Amino acid sequence: MENATPTPKNKLKPVLIVVIILLLLTVGTLVGIGFITGKIQEVTATVFDSSEETTVPLEQFLVNLTPGESNKDQYLQIELSIHSSQKDAEATITEKTAQVRDAVIAVLRNKTSDSLYAASEDGELVIKSELRAKINQEIGSDLVNEVYITNIVTQ
């Protein structure tokens, strides 16, 4: 004979389905209102805002290198860009351009053409980390996150 009384599992299923449908409708409505009013764009712009990150290109450098084994005069022509994620980094770098350029020249003039291309364990050029450290030292804060070499020629 069939059991006429429904089990508790059967009563829970319709309630769960109704709750899920109401939740989806509520979330959908809120997202729709957010798009219509423009609040979603404001929130995503705030969350994913990269306006504080900046890359500042420096003018070209032409530096005498330390003579290597050949004892010949060698020159380095290099262009760099400095990347920072701190607020107002571009203004600080522009304001202290003389100190930044002096730091770059101080590192580069002590290099030979062979030592320029030495790589660290992680494959990064050692000169990039030296430049980053020296520039940060001259500026007096850890402003520089990365140094990008955009052009390099040795002669």
Side-chain angles (χ1 to χ4, degrees), residues 98-108 131 134-136 138:
Q99 291 93 331
V100 171
R101 289 187 62 83
D102 182 61
V104 170
I105 291 170
V107 170
L108 295 177
L131 288 169
K134 184 68 172 175
I135 293 169
N136 283 334
E138 286 294 320

Side-chain angles (χ1 to χ4, degrees), residues 89-106:
E90 186 172 4
T92 304
I93 292 169
T94 304
E95 178 183 309
K96 297 187 176 194
T97 300
Q99 291 93 331
V100 171
R101 289 187 62 83
D102 182 61
V104 170
I105 291 170

